[in-house]
Amino acid sequence: QEQPVESGGGLVQAGGSLKLSCAASGRTFGSYAMGWFRQAPDEEREFVASVSRSGAGVVYADSVNGRFTIFRDNPKNTVYLQMNSLKPEDTAVYYCAVGNSIYASRLPGSYAYWGQGTQVTVSS
């Protein structure tokens, strides 16, 4: 229905790169901010990155700032997370989420729909 769908996860060595994709319906994608969160085993889900509806506003977690880039392609109803210089501590299930406003946000409560997640594993 309105649930976004992630893809692009996998196994990569430290220092490598991955690009995650998240596709959503045209109605929801074009109207709201989008975000990425991640969750490692036995840990709380944490914010990774968010982009505003227009793509002009972006927010990053300190742990990924400078290494990850979030961007969106509105005609394709897709948001991406380009992950470079990956570290073992980046290993987690990554979730895409559709916002409930037009603004980028670090807060889980700012998102209405969540994907099933895609596994990213970074080996040493």
Side-chain angles (χ1 to χ4, degrees):
Q1 191 185 73
E2 303 294 346
Q3 185 178 42
V5 180
E6 307 96 334
S7 62
L11 175 64
V12 65
Q13 288 195 310
S17 298
L18 283 174
K19 186 170 77 174
L20 306 183
S21 299
C22 172
S25 74
R27 181 179 65 82
T28 57
F29 185 88
S31 298
Y32 300 104
M34 299 290 292
W36 288 95
F37 290 74
R38 67 187 183 186
Q39 187 169 20
D42 299 320
E43 295 186 8
E44 291 287 314
R45 187 170 299 183
E46 67 174 349
F47 169 76
V48 176
S50 181
V51 60
S52 67
R53 181 180 66 181
S54 70
V58 294
V59 182
Y60 296 99
D62 290 343
S63 59
V64 307
N65 193 33
R67 298 187 298 121
F68 291 10
T69 303
I70 185 171
F71 57 100
R72 64 194 299 161
D73 186 339
N74 286 353
K76 293 183 178 180
N77 301 323
T78 303
V79 64
Y80 303 92
L81 185 69
Q82 177 65 52
M83 305 184 294
N84 298 325
S85 301
L86 283 162
K87 305 174 180 179
E89 52 263 46
D90 295 318
T91 295
V93 177
Y94 283 70
Y95 297 90
C96 176
V98 180
N100 57 25
S101 81
I102 67 171
Y103 304 111
S105 175
R106 302 173 182 268
L107 306 177
S110 297
Y111 299 89
Y113 303 104
W114 296 79
Q116 293 296 316
T118 185
Q119 177 71 47
V120 172
T121 303
V122 184
S123 64
S124 60

